[in-house]
């Protein structure tokens, strides 16, 4: 659609409003802006006399509303200055005259500027279209149904502005009551294109004019043949947001590569004294098996843990990729100056005592030093980081050595320790664990950029409490998701709390509602809790990507089958409708009182051969895209027998180039725990004592596959 | 409120409708029923002439609607036979005459019976009040807002009919959009009493007349000064439900006591042959350490596992409390006859091959035998049962011996095995595990009746796929909940599927929506999944009951504090607003950059003494009712040090008679797992690598405490 905004008109209008010291536009000003941006509002004109009124009414067509325009009449209706729904010259004439007469009687001295002739908005579905300025994501456009009921139920959806026509259309389907717009109980559907166009144009407006803080089209009347904003409200802001320093992608990758694959690391504040952070970091670097150079820096030692120590980092010979800081906060700035002078590209700032304890000035100071020298800062206030494939443990925590495909980051140290313990306990293969702490410089978008390219990383999981720059994150996520899944645990979901809002849209834009919609749009898998994030991170790299929507449950326990079906629906997955030939094929393997269909209930007392035959059929048939297995511990098929046969069948098909996600729920005595671990290590995501977890993980994989566009071909 | 139903009128009317072979009442018949039950509908009368019309209009008061009444005019509006909103004698006269004139012109030969004068329903909030006949719960009354939006969003609530006035009022607060009824954006609130009265009267009506299958008052117009049903629709059913056999409470308790605390058990089909179920059952009884008599019954053996075997159960000497069946389905009936003749009160039917494999007739046969002899049947198609405090393992699974306070039941054998494995792995103390299988006789309400009385049981957890008699379950649950919590995992939640419905209420009454509301009303804690049920069962008996709503988070990891706060809100708990004196008291123990308030962030590097001092204060202050602890693994306070100090403080206060629920989330390396187990064993519910789980358990405890009426005193 051709852009036809009249920017100059809006620019001039906004400038005059601001010059007048106002922050809210009047209704006529709102109409000027709407007209300039092609936002459909009721047509209206100011008639100076009765003949003009007739001409204007005829031009607008259909019924009109007439309203007195007088600076001296505040309450138009009380003055008898409003007539609704007149049509045809005679009615317009009569109404015009009646209005003038009424107002003269009501206020004899009123200055009458004329009568506004306004198109009567036809009946239709009330909706709200709006835009707000989110502290994290900037300009955000909103859509929901109108009316108090929707306000109470908070059924509204958000997108980053500007939106494309398609994105705007997608918003119509993103609300709970979407069905209404398609017409229920025989009602005609609304004009979706016209409605989407209102959204698109509002999003364009706020993008073009950053000083517009909030826009409310409330209500927009969506009819089968158009959508008209009955009221428009525009609020300006005087705040100017300081643009954040950004680095080009190539620069980010270059410094991140040196951070994550360093050849030489200096430890500032290295120590021989046990219990000191500088001692733990040195030990972990050495014990972790890092094969690059490790240079302790300490002005009061010649030798630390058998390595030559330097008085200053500037004395270290050769290029250094990373300087790890293990000194108190107050010494960081001067040491960072030396790091800058030495040309080291990365400073890992373990110490706390900066913004998190109120020392914002100290943090600002180090950020300024970093920017001056081009040193990227990780932290401060972190546990350090692990780059497992480099055998690099630059942290004061314990080493970690199970190499694998998951990169994990956390904003909080406590969560970092939970990551470490969980990963070790479950033998999760990890490519990196990174503490982000105060995020004074390096943040999630830098890491996403790197992990997206890192061949060792197949899945990224991030705990975050805020985003310094929501748009940069979304950009990095969108570039990464087509390659690998991103799991995000957003903490502080429910703290939405009191946000001052000057519009309905603003009042509905709770922090978390905006985060949720925009993360989903970015293709990110949002984990509902810490344990979910950890389980997704562990399991997603294990599962192959599904090629289509058809999920089949094969279960030895009918009871598990019911619960697994519940979980399928809860996770938005599709239980395949089994075609008759396939149903017959499954039936051939199971007892006559077993149930084919889906779930396929092979019944409880079956030998390993029944599990094997049905799993094999599930892998073989190309119409089936994913398997959910329910195992029931019996003497006939013990847990490890089930685990081994399942792993064998899956491996055999993998050899033949056939890969499908297979997840399993094992119900049984404690031996099932060992069987689950075995299955996990052999490419089958399996859990004991839960029917929910395996399906939740499969659901996460599907959400990613859908976001990455990998399922479309089969739909 | 005095009951003033005119039952005779309704009885006569329904009989005549059924005699006429109809199942739907006409609108005038609906009005007769409404009037008989005091359900407010618009007043109306049939005026034969214009003078009557004026009299009736004056009697009704306010504006009225006039409608032609003629058997020959189907489309009243087309015939000009309807006039809306006339008031006063002159208007009524004119409208009456116009209607007669219009209809004469439209259909000159039409027989005109008169003009209906109907009260015009004033504007107000549209709501729906209805009743349906649920297959599980019988007569159920429903309430929701009216209009298509609510239908799309399915915002509706259900209760067992009949409801009291208070229950009816509570329904107004149980919908998502409840706020609307209280008046939003300056709107006046609706007349809650009048609305509740409509609900109550509908519930009374369907209770009094079981043949009424569905009632729809749609819409009811709820205004600030009344609530009037603008339309009433009543459907009759011809189905008659066979009343289920019920036993008096004392009889249930008597036979359950002999089942759960038997002195003598016979095993029918006991065997010396390994791998046979009758061998496993014998072994488990013996190896489990059961101290009562164990009598093998087998016609082809003299001695089984060193015990004298009998040809028939009738040969066993003395009283027998339980006969465990380990023989194929086809032999069950004749053996059950012998059990009946011997006067054994309980038959535990392990064999499968009954209703679950389509052999309904075989199952009906054994049920009839059981009823004839007064033998209560457990199963068939079960793994058996455990009564831990009796050292009784009457099952073919493995023995279980950790005695404790949880009674678990499952409808499915697979889920039973998951219960066993989970319990063993987590060392959960169990009072009983019972398989219910086909529930041909004994079901959840019998077990609830027993477990409610059993002093060894402190918490009951039940997996169920259906209820044979929803009302009996609710009755048993209501009697039990004040004494101990009941956790229910209802499988098949999402299978609601296609249910034929003849009314709006019917269409909105998905199986699970009804289950959910009614289980909540019964005070049952519904577990969202299998693992949740198991975790609640394990943890609830460990936690003392909270005495009030004030929850305080004390955390060493700020990041955990944020996630724990999220979980608090998710679980409907209340973060206490800390009064200034208490805030100051906490502040005295934590570093200046730590944060008091709630969560209380003691910061990460603190020694054990800080944890101890703050936990101690949390236990000491009577305004605090529950503690949520967030632990961060550091060298300064290792996991077991934290665990021991926390357990010690909690024990010390318990000695002093001060008990509060304390739950903990431990973030750290794998040592936290041992610390969690230690804490659990010492009365603190603790989990590693999750912030959600400990708060979910606390939430479950609170839900129970509220349902049991234990929190009220403090609110």
């Amino acid at each position: 659609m051709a852009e036809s905004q009249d920017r100059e008109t809006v620019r001039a209008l906004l400038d005059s409003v601001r010059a007048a010291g106002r922050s809210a536009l009047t209704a006529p000003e709102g109409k000027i802006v709407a007209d300039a941006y092609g936002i459909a509002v009721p047509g209206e004109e100011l008639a100076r006399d009765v003949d003009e009124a007739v001409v204007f009414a005829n031009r607008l067509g259909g019924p009109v509303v007439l309203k007195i325009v007088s600076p001296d009449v505040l309450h138009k209706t009380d003055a008898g200055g409003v007539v609704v729904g007149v049509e045809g010259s005679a009615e317009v004439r009569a109404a015009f005259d009646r209005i003038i007469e009424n107002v003269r009687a009501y206020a004899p001295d009123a200055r009458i500027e004329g009568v506004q002739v306004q198109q009567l908005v036809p009946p239709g579905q009330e909706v709200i279209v709006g835009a707000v300025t989110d502290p994290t994501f900037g300009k955000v456009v909103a859509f929901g149904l109108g009316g108090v009921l929707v306000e109470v139920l908070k059924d509204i959806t958000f997108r980053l502005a500007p939106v494309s026509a398609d994105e705007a259309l997608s918003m119509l389907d993103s609300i709970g009551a979407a069905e209404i717009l398609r017409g229920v109980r025989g009602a005609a559907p609304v004009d979706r294109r016209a409605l989407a166009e209102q959204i698109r144009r509002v999003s364009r407006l706020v993008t073009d004019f950053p000083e517009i803080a909030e826009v409310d089209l409330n209500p927009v009347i969506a009819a089968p043949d158009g959508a008209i904003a009955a009221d428009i409200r525009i609020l300006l802001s005087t705040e100017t947001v300081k643009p954040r320093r950004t680095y080009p992608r190539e620069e980010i990758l270059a410094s991140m590569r040196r951070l994550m694959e360093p050849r030489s690391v200096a430890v500032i504040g290295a120590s021989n004294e046990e219990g000191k952070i500088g001692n733990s970091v040195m030990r972990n670097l050495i014990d972790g098996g890092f094969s690059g150079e490790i240079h302790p820096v300490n002005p009061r030692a010649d030798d630390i843990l058998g390595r030559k120590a330097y008085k200053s980092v500037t004395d270290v010979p050769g290029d250094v990729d990373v300087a790890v800081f293990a000194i108190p906060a107050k010494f960081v700035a001067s040491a960072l100056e030396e790091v800058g002078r030495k040309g080291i590209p990365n400073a890992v700032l373990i110490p706390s005592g900066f913004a998190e304890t109120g020392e914002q000035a100290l943090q600002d100071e180090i950020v300024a030093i970093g920017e001056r020298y081009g040193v990227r800062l990780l932290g401060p206030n972190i546990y350090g980081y692990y780059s497992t494939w480099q055998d690099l443990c630059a942290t004061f925590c314990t080493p970690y050595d199970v190499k694998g495909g998951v990169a994990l980051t956390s904003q909080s140290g406590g969560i970092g320790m939970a990551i470490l313990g969980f990963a070790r306990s479950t033998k999760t293969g990890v490519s990196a664990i990174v503490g982000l702490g105060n995020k004074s410089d390096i943040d999630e978008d830098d890491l996403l950029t790197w992990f997206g390219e890192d061949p060792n990383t197949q899945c990224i999981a991030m705990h975050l409490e805020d985003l310094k720059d929501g748009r940069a994150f979304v950009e990095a996520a969108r570039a990464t998701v087509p390659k690998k899944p991103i799991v995000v645990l957003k903490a502080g979901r429910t703290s939405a709390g009191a946000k001052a809002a000057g519009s309905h849209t603003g009042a509905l834009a709770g922090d978390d509602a905006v985060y949720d919609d925009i993360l989903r749009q970015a293709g990110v898998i949002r984990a509902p809790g810490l344990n979910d994030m950890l389980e997704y991170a562990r399991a997603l790299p294990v599962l192959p990507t599904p090629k289509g929507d058809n999920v089949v449950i094969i279960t030895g326990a009918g009871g598990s089958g019911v619960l697994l079906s519940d979980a399928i629906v809860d996770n938005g997955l599709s239980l395949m409708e089994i075609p008759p030939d396939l149903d017959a094929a499954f039936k051939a393997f199971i007892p006559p009182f077993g149930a084919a269909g889906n779930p396929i209930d092979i019944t409880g007392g079956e030998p390993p051969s029944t599990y094997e035959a049905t799993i094999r059929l599930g892998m073989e048939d190309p119409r089936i895209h994913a398997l959910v297995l329910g195992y029931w511990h019996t003497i006939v098929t013990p847990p490890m027998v089930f685990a081994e046969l399942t792993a064998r069948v899956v491996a055999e098909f993998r050899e033949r180039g056939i890969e499908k996600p297979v997840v399993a729920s094992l119900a049984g005595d404690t031996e099932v725990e060992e069987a689950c671990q075995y299955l996990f290590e052999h490419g089958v995501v399996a859990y004991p004592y839960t029917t929910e977890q395996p399906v939740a993980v499969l659901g996460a994989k599907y959400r990613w596959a859908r976001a990455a566009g990998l399922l479309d071909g089969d739909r």
Side-chain angles (χ1 to χ4, degrees), chain A:
Chain A
M1 190 159 304
E3 295 295 342
S4 57
Q5 299 87 11
D6 178 358
R7 293 187 197 206
E8 289 66 32
T9 300
V10 178
R11 177 78 282 147
L13 177 75
L14 297 187
D15 286 348
S16 75
V17 170
R18 295 181 80 170
R22 285 188 289 133
S23 63
L25 270 63
T26 63
E29 287 166 346
K31 167 140 174 68
I32 293 170
V33 172
D35 288 344
Y37 266 69
I39 295 165
V41 290
E44 63 175 36
E45 305 209 47
L46 180 65
R48 306 280 168 179
D49 58 38
V50 68
D51 292 327
E52 269 189 13
V54 170
V55 171
F56 294 155
N58 288 341
R59 194 187 293 159
L60 291 170
V64 294
V65 183
L66 301 189
K67 291 180 196 167
I68 190 72
V69 178
S70 161
D72 302 316
V73 176
L74 284 180
H75 302 290
K76 295 183 176 76
T77 307
D78 292 355
V82 179
V83 180
V84 175
V86 288
E87 194 168 6
S89 302
E91 276 189 33
V92 171
R93 264 183 205 286
F96 187 97
D97 291 344
R98 191 156 83 246
I99 284 175
I100 299 295
E101 200 174 299
N102 288 345
V103 172
R104 289 242 165 92
Y106 178 81
D109 299 330
R111 288 163 295 168
I112 295 177
E113 295 181 357
V115 170
Q116 190 183 47
V117 182
Q118 190 181 51
Q119 185 185 358
L120 187 68
V121 179
Q125 174 65 48
E126 283 195 14
V127 302
I128 180 170
V129 172
V132 292
T133 308
D134 183 85
T136 302
F137 295 101
K139 300 302 175 191
V140 163
V141 66
F143 170 74
L145 293 199
V148 285
L149 187 53
V150 173
E151 273 179 50
V152 167
L153 298 174
K154 304 220 185 319
D155 184 18
I156 191 160
T157 188
F158 300 90
R159 297 289 185 283
L160 288 183
V163 290
S164 68
D166 280 351
E167 277 180 294
L169 267 176
S170 81
M171 294 177 77
L172 273 53
D173 284 327
S174 297
I175 58 170
E179 212 181 318
I180 296 274
L181 302 173
R182 299 197 173 272
V184 289
R185 282 217 217 154
V190 305
D191 184 338
R192 300 172 70 80
R193 295 203 157 272
L195 190 46
E197 192 57 15
Q198 295 281 68
I199 298 170
R200 193 185 69 79
R201 287 174 184 265
V202 166
S203 80
R204 191 71 254 168
L205 173 67
V206 293
T207 306
D208 289 347
F209 297 94
E211 71 258 54
I212 298 183
E214 299 183 31
V215 175
D216 251 0
L217 308 189
N218 185 20
V220 172
I221 307 298
D225 59 349
I228 292 182
D231 196 15
I232 178 165
R233 182 170 163 76
I234 297 177
L235 298 176
L236 306 184
S237 162
T238 48
E239 281 173 41
T240 47
V241 180
K242 184 176 160 243
R244 186 162 158 277
R245 167 150 185 183
T246 56
Y247 296 86
R249 179 177 168 82
E250 286 316 308
E251 267 183 43
I252 293 172
L253 283 176
S255 64
M256 282 296 132
R257 179 175 302 280
R258 291 182 69 182
L259 178 70
M260 300 307 292
E261 298 178 352
R263 275 171 296 182
S264 172
V265 174
V267 179
I268 297 172
S271 170
N272 278 316
E273 197 179 326
E274 266 196 62
K276 290 256 181 190
I277 284 179
N279 180 264
S280 301
V281 171
M282 279 300 292
R283 276 181 188 283
N284 283 334
L285 282 170
I286 294 166
D287 297 350
F290 178 58
S291 60
E293 294 167 25
I294 304 171
H295 300 294
V297 176
N298 185 327
R300 288 185 307 276
D302 296 324
D303 174 290
I304 288 173
L305 298 176
R307 315 237 162 180
K308 176 176 166 45
Y310 299 89
K311 304 290 177 212
S312 158
V313 74
T314 52
D315 301 334
V316 175
D319 281 350
V320 174
D321 299 301
V322 177
V324 182
F325 284 60
I327 53 178
K330 60 185 168 187
F331 303 126
V332 168
S334 61
L336 188 57
E337 289 271 0
E338 295 181 347
V339 165
R341 285 204 299 276
K342 170 77 181 164
I344 302 175
N346 293 292
V348 174
L349 304 176
I350 290 177
S352 53
F354 293 89
E356 85 285 2
T357 60
E359 304 291 342
Q360 185 65 49
L362 201 54
Q363 185 160 318
D364 291 344
E365 185 186 351
I366 61 165
V367 170
I369 296 169
E371 290 191 359
R372 193 155 68 241
Y373 288 99
V375 183
R376 299 298 309 263
L377 313 180
L378 184 68
N381 184 31
I382 59 172
Y383 48 88
Y385 74 113
Y386 300 79
S387 186
T388 322
W389 292 90
Q390 312 299 317
D391 300 313
L392 180 78
C393 304
T395 162
F396 59 84
C397 302
T398 36
Y400 191 76
D401 63 357
V402 185
K403 296 178 176 68
V406 191
L408 298 119
T409 76
S410 76
Q411 195 163 343
S412 136
I415 305 307
M417 281 303 294
I419 289 172
L420 194 68
F422 173 88
R424 198 187 308 280
S425 183
T426 57
K427 304 191 182 74
T428 297
V430 161
S431 65
I433 303 174
V434 183
L436 280 165
N438 296 5
K439 300 199 283 199
S440 69
D441 174 16
I442 292 175
D443 66 3
E444 288 84 359
D445 27 312
D446 297 298
L447 290 171
L448 276 184
T449 303
W450 166 252
F451 290 133
E453 295 296 322
D454 176 25
N456 289 321
T457 298
Q458 292 149 38
C459 170
I460 303 149
M462 301 182 143
H463 157 265
L464 54 94
E465 295 182 349
D466 60 6
L467 289 170
K468 299 295 175 192
D469 181 346
R471 289 194 168 240
F473 178 84
V474 168
E475 196 180 313
R478 283 189 173 150
T480 307
V481 164
K483 293 178 280 187
K484 44 196 89 170
I486 304 169
V487 179
V488 164
L489 170 63
K490 168 67 176 75
R493 282 179 296 125
T494 44
S495 68
K499 188 161 54 165
S503 67
H504 283 108
T505 307
L508 288 165
D511 283 337
D512 197 63
V514 174
Y515 259 101
D516 200 58
D517 278 346
I518 290 181
L519 290 182
R520 187 179 302 114
Q521 283 302 304
V524 159
I525 302 162
R526 191 160 178 191
L530 172 59
N531 203 254
D532 306 275
M533 178 185 86
L534 297 170
E535 292 293 1
Y536 293 176
R538 176 188 180 209
L540 288 179
V542 172
L543 287 182
T545 304
K547 297 190 175 61
D549 285 320
N550 288 336
V551 181
V552 167
I553 299 173
I554 298 173
T555 183
S560 296
V562 179
L563 290 168
L564 290 168
S565 300
D566 284 348
I568 290 279
V569 177
D570 286 346
N571 284 280
L573 300 177
S574 310
L575 267 191
M576 180 185 186
E577 284 197 29
I578 312 271
D581 66 304
L582 190 53
D583 201 56
F586 275 115
K587 272 207 174 96
F589 296 122
I590 65 181
F593 54 89
N598 194 2
I600 294 155
D601 182 359
I602 68 169
T603 77
E606 289 300 293
S609 58
T610 309
Y611 278 106
E612 178 160 347
T614 47
I615 294 170
R616 196 174 281 282
L617 178 54
M619 291 300 290
E620 186 78 59
D621 194 287
R623 293 167 291 185
I624 298 174
H625 302 122
L627 292 181
V628 176
L629 309 180
Y631 164 77
W632 180 7
H633 188 165
T634 61
I635 297 171
V636 186
T637 307
M640 277 309 291
V641 171
F642 166 77
E644 281 165 8
L645 80 86
T646 303
R648 178 165 43 74
V649 171
V650 168
E652 196 182 294
F653 277 87
R654 193 186 304 124
E655 289 283 306
R656 289 171 47 196
I658 297 173
E659 293 200 81
K660 298 176 184 181
V662 181
V663 303
S665 163
L666 277 67
D669 212 330
T670 51
E671 296 159 55
V672 296
E673 296 176 26
E674 181 197 355
C676 286
Q677 184 64 35
Y678 179 90
L679 281 165
F680 237 108
E681 284 162 11
H682 290 79
V684 176
V685 165
Y687 295 94
Y689 323 132
T690 165
T691 45
E692 304 79 51
Q693 192 68 59
V695 183
V697 166
L698 184 64
K701 191 83 189 191
Y702 263 100
R703 270 184 280 163
W704 169 68
R706 200 159 280 134
L710 298 172
L711 279 180
D712 291 353
D714 294 77
R715 300 192 88 183

